Amino acid sequence: MEELKDLSKLCIHTITTKPWNIEESARNFSKAGVKGITVWRDALDGRNIKQTGQLLREHDLTIVSLCRGGFFAHKELNKRKAAIDDNKRAIEEAAELGTSMIVLVCGADPAQSLEESRKQIHDGIAALIPDASAAGVKLTIEPLHPMYADARSAINTLSQANDMAEALHSEWVGVAVDVYHLWWDPSLETEIKRCGENRNLAAFHICDWKNPTADLLLDRGLMGEGCIPVKKIRSWVEAAGFNGFNEVEIFSNTYWNMDQSEFLNKIIKAYKENS
Amino acid sequence: MEELKDLSKLCIHTITTKPWNIEESARNFSKAGVKGITVWRDALDGRNIKQTGQLLREHDLTIVSLCRGGFFAHKELNKRKAAIDDNKRAIEEAAELGTSMIVLVCGADPAQSLEESRKQIHDGIAALIPDASAAGVKLTIEPLHPMYADARSAINTLSQANDMAEALHSEWVGVAVDVYHLWWDPSLETEIKRCGENRNLAAFHICDWKNPTADLLLDRGLMGEGCIPVKKIRSWVEAAGFNGFNEVEIFSNTYWNMDQSEFLNKIIKAYKENS
């Protein structure tokens, strides 16, 4: 596989450097030569979204996606309806911001079966396709690690995400491959190939799985720090035709407690050496 | 499915009531009408194993299995050899104790690929089959949740465990279905059926997945307390021909901090109502 010689495909999620507000992230990412940013919706709180998008572009940052929509699965109909409305707002926000993709954390309701949650996810995404098409925003299904099947996502393998994207069969629906969620899966290479062949491979997220991992949510590692074969998985993703950004998405109390400029240096080093 | 009207198929792991030593567990399980016990090796520390087995039988307890062998995957050859030796000792201990099954947590080494770890697991189990056969002890592969793929097991789905058991093709190799590890898998019903058809379904472990789960290891719930459809999975296991014990295996700081007699009452209630 090719080495990552420069930062032209490096994208960082705003949540990765959570202690910085979006203006600080934009300034610091840009100064360091980072070329992409994925914006979490909380980073836009209290801001004019169009102007924020303009600011990011002025820093020469491609806005890779808005993170995150989804959470379609609820036992109660009114909550499912509210989720659709919220996703419509997210589509509007993405369009205002000037990005062509929303990442979906699809949801799961522990009060009902996973099968039922999956049906509601399918129906939720289907209901949004007209809005997504009108806004030019792709809805990207991110399968989540099985440890989040209780309340975050009933889509827990790339096979399931592929099934759903193929069933929905729309150019406005895609799939995100996140190494943290999928690295353990013996069918990963096959499913990445399938995802590419069906033109659904829309995003690639990287970080690492630390051993030991201290927290189910907030202890992700930098690439190279754990046991995920990030380079190998990137080679599979690229062999499947993906040529978009490599997005660094890390939730970590350890790193959030660190000086964020120092952390950014570590991200760039880990990106060059271990991604 | 049939309701669990009595405790004739209830087995409890010694680790579930960890604050009790094995003599206290035997006395209290027996008094409560529990009919099976799975013994963790640490519970035998400093004891005469034959006499301990005799004591358990005197309390009218079936010794369902010895828990646990495995940990075959190591980058270093000397550690792999040491693991084989340790598993041979476990087989001897099982025979002395008077149980016909050892549960295997197969292992994974974060310093090598999962594929490599899986090969070593296969070879490790294959190397033990003569000893297992001579002792009359079945080696039971327990697939572990993908969140343990870093260092505990490279076998993370029932499909993988079935593959390996079928490849090893021995009456001395079986598979354990633990709802905690496998509940999220969309192919679970199919794979349980396959496991039964190939006569590999050797053990059934129950507990629940709490939402939220506070710890990757030590926050398992009682049946009914979380989102696992325990009754439904039990019906699949029984439809696949399994008629062994339902083994309650719970690691929980919360419950270990409770009065264990009170906890045992809760286990029995949860078993009758939600299993």
Side-chain angles (χ1 to χ4, degrees), chain B residues 192-207:
Chain B
I192 285 175
K193 192 159 178 275
R194 170 184 165 196
C195 193
E197 282 169 357
N198 290 288
R199 309 178 67 84
N200 285 324
L201 186 38
F204 181 52
H205 297 181
I206 57 176
C207 67

Side-chain angles (χ1 to χ4, degrees), chain B residues 12 16-20 24-25 27-29 31-32 34 222 255-269:
Chain B
I12 302 178
T16 299
T17 52
K18 188 172 128 178
W20 279 339
E24 291 170 312
S25 292
R27 194 166 55 242
N28 290 307
F29 291 179
K31 203 164 59 181
V34 176
L222 273 168
Y255 289 121
W256 290 336
N257 282 327
M258 180 181 287
D259 173 89
Q260 296 299 287
S261 294
E262 193 187 328
F263 178 36
L264 179 56
N265 289 339
K266 282 181 183 288
I267 291 171
I268 290 171
K269 188 170 189 295

Side-chain angles (χ1 to χ4, degrees), chain B residues 5-48:
Chain B
K5 292 193 195 88
D6 60 44
L7 306 185
S8 62
K9 294 284 184 186
L10 172 57
C11 165
I12 302 178
H13 283 226
T14 55
I15 199 162
T16 299
T17 52
K18 188 172 128 178
W20 279 339
N21 63 35
I22 193 166
E23 293 80 11
E24 291 170 312
S25 292
R27 194 166 55 242
N28 290 307
F29 291 179
S30 179
K31 203 164 59 181
V34 176
K35 293 295 176 193
I37 188 167
T38 276
V39 176
W40 279 54
R41 289 175 79 188
D42 65 289
L44 297 171
D45 279 354
R47 286 167 175 79
N48 178 301

